[in-house]
Amino acid sequence: MKKLFVLILLFLALTCGMVWYSAGVSPLTLLHVLASAAQSEPDSGQTPDTASAEEPAAPPSASPTETRAIWVATAYAIDYPSNPTTDVEALKTRCNAILDAAKADGCNTIYLQVRPAADALYPSDLFPWSRYLTGTCGTAPADSFDPLAYWLQQAHARSMKLEAWVNPYRICAGQNAASDFASLPDSSPAKQHPDWVVTCDGSYYFNPGLAEVRQMICDGIREIVETYDVDGIQFDDYFYPSTDFNDADTYAAAATELSRDDWRRDNVNQLVQMVYQTVHEHAKNPVCVFGISPSGIWRNKGVNAFGGSDTNGYEHYSSAYADSLTWIKNGWIDYICPQIYWEIGDTAADFDTLARWWARQVDGTNVDLILGLAAYKIGDAQYGTVWQNDGCAEIGRQLNLSREISGIRGCAVFSCRNLEQTAGLDSILQQKWTEQ
């Protein structure tokens, strides 16, 4: 009977797939549908709150709907957990509360920060447990609890995707960086390989110019995608932390003909290409994707012959040495999610201008475009009167605009805490994200 059920599901999925394919849905989407159908079981009657973390739910089937994502930050306890703790029930309760609220708002994708600073929110052979999770780097949650496994199970039980968000280079940053670094356990790769570490502006980073660092990062990604049924890996906007990064010796040792700036960009490019290959060669989930969320401006127009956006702001090409257009051109990422954290009509970096510029960059490629939105600015006077007085409505206008521009596949909102603490934002998202 079970075999007959699976055969029927496969037949239905294949039939739907032929219809979807004729309508222009990608083969990747069809693959996900077929894979999900083959793996599905009849409903056991479990609800998201009662499903067992030891028996993970199948990942949600791919669909042609837009991405409606929320970032869940774990660094500095921004979103998860509420306060660092080893208590399993507290960690589970906070996870469920976030997912329930996100689901109610129409969210279908969670970007969960699982490697905020050369550490992990899961049992790792490479990185120590995160101090942001339990309060002490290297200290595990009680009862062998695995937060990433639980988040995945709960997200999939709610038919939501979950991607693992990783910061590749950061070790310790912020006002407590020195003491945090001193307290790292001996198992930390930063302690095991002090020659891989560079201090910059009082913070600590792995040196992107070292092949050993790139391999370590890829090994960490492989550990995640081979162990967990994550729907994606995402890098954020942190690459080289500063143009003053102290890598003169590494550059000299490279004996390259590239300028130092181009060499730095090439180091990042090599990592991006390696991570893409790692994800697509080793992922447990057959449709696991790799995406990057850089700052919103690649280059400002007029700076050089490349032709950037008609903007005037921080550009990641020359400041973080992140050449996102090369990643798109070469297909080293599955999606790009620029953080367009300005309002429509901003004089330095207009949201409308940037959204259309990015849409042109992905046109004709296999790279999807998702726009990052700045919910954290709502109500804050330092970001101007639009955000202070009309921030929720501004997010609504940006969601509307993203649907009007061809080539944009959805939006992501930063971050979960702002949804919880900003009156009126829930209703905006529910209105926009529950529309069919």
Side-chain angles (χ1 to χ4, degrees):
M1 191 68 184
K2 178 180 178 182
K3 291 183 179 178
L4 178 61
F5 177 79
V6 171
L7 288 172
I8 293 171
L9 278 180
L10 284 171
F11 175 76
L12 292 173
L14 181 60
T15 303
C16 292
M18 294 173 65
V19 174
W20 285 6
Y21 186 79
S22 65
V25 177
S26 70
L28 186 65
T29 298
L30 299 181
L31 177 63
H32 198 171
V33 171
L34 291 172
S36 297
Q39 297 172 2
S40 294
E41 297 285 348
D43 188 356
S44 66
Q46 288 182 319
T47 66
D49 290 334
T50 62
S52 169
E54 284 70 34
E55 298 179 3
S61 298
S63 87
T65 60
E66 65 186 358
T67 294
R68 302 165 182 171
I70 293 173
W71 277 288
V72 177
T74 59
Y76 313 109
I78 291 175
D79 296 316
Y80 180 83
S82 298
N83 293 291
T85 181
T86 60
D87 183 77
V88 175
E89 289 308 312
L91 293 171
K92 287 183 176 181
T93 298
R94 178 62 177 153
C95 167
N96 290 330
I98 290 174
L99 290 176
D100 285 343
K103 182 70 174 179
D105 287 343
C107 170
N108 59 21
T109 304
I110 295 291
Y111 300 141
L112 176 67
Q113 191 176 32
V114 302
R115 286 256 310 283
D119 51 9
L121 271 79
Y122 53 91
S124 171
D125 293 332
L126 301 172
F127 302 96
W129 282 98
S130 177
R131 62 183 173 275
Y132 298 122
L133 179 71
T134 63
T136 303
C137 189
T139 297
D143 302 327
S144 301
F145 177 62
D146 184 340
L148 178 52
Y150 188 80
W151 271 87
L152 266 170
Q153 190 278 330
Q154 291 296 319
H156 288 171
R158 293 166 173 79
S159 298
M160 302 169 74
K161 295 181 181 181
L162 188 138
E163 297 190 20
W165 161 19
V166 170
N167 186 295
Y169 299 123
R170 182 170 61 200
I171 302 170
C172 298
Q175 62 181 1
N176 298 320
S179 59
D180 287 343
F181 187 83
S183 64
L184 290 176
D186 291 340
S187 61
S188 169
K191 287 295 185 69
Q192 293 179 347
H193 303 281
D195 53 316
W196 294 1
V197 179
V198 175
T199 304
C200 181
D201 298 330
S203 297
Y204 299 80
Y205 304 89
F206 287 116
N207 187 345
L210 298 177
E212 297 89 344
V213 166
R214 292 192 288 271
Q215 187 59 55
M216 174 197 65
I217 295 168
C218 286
D219 290 344
I221 298 302
R222 180 172 178 174
E223 182 181 52
I224 295 172
V225 299
E226 282 189 337
T227 307
Y228 300 96
D229 205 13
V230 293
D231 299 288
I233 294 290
Q234 184 183 108
F235 282 178
D236 52 24
D237 54 325
Y238 293 103
F239 293 94
Y240 277 86
S242 169
T243 56
D244 296 328
F245 194 76
N246 184 15
D247 56 0
D249 290 344
T250 312
Y251 177 58
T256 178
E257 295 182 358
L258 294 174
S259 69
R260 193 167 173 182
D261 286 357
D262 286 339
W263 170 75
R264 286 175 171 175
R265 278 185 284 271
D266 184 61
N267 293 331
V268 176
N269 288 345
Q270 287 184 59
L271 175 65
V272 170
Q273 186 176 15
M274 289 171 65
V275 170
Y276 178 86
Q277 292 171 344
T278 298
V279 168
H280 288 280
E281 290 175 5
H282 298 286
K284 180 179 180 180
N285 185 338
V287 291
C288 183
V289 296
F290 174 44
I292 298 181
S293 180
S295 62
I297 299 174
W298 172 69
R299 299 217 73 176
N300 294 303
K301 183 177 180 180
V303 171
N304 53 59
F306 290 115
S309 52
D310 189 11
T311 52
N312 180 24
Y314 174 94
E315 51 179 38
H316 53 257
Y317 178 89
S318 59
S319 297
Y321 304 98
D323 188 3
S324 54
L325 260 61
T326 290
W327 311 336
I328 294 171
K329 177 182 177 181
N330 289 287
W332 294 340
I333 52 177
D334 295 296
Y335 71 86
I336 193 158
C337 182
Q339 299 171 21
I340 308 182
Y341 287 172
W342 300 270
E343 71 267 22
I344 298 171
D346 186 275
T347 56
D350 173 33
F351 181 94
D352 190 336
T353 297
L354 278 166
R356 296 179 190 278
W357 185 88
W358 281 106
R360 291 194 295 272
Q361 308 318 307
V362 301
D363 186 36
T365 74
N366 292 320
V367 177
D368 286 337
L369 173 61
I370 300 164
L371 304 185
L373 311 185
Y376 72 92
K377 289 187 173 182
I378 297 173
D380 195 328
Q382 69 174 311
Y383 300 115
T385 56
V386 171
W387 290 108
Q388 180 183 13
N389 300 325
D390 201 29
C392 288
E394 176 62 21
I395 293 294
R397 291 189 289 267
Q398 293 180 1
L399 290 170
N400 287 340
L401 181 61
S402 71
R403 288 173 171 167
E404 297 171 3
I405 300 173
S406 176
I408 297 176
R409 294 294 301 273
C411 292
V413 176
F414 187 86
S415 71
C416 168
R417 177 175 65 177
N418 305 104
L419 271 66
E420 295 173 327
Q421 298 179 358
T422 306
L425 185 55
D426 273 341
S427 60
I428 288 290
L429 293 184
Q430 288 168 12
Q431 177 188 356
K432 305 300 180 183
W433 276 358
T434 58
E435 294 175 356
Q436 301 299 321

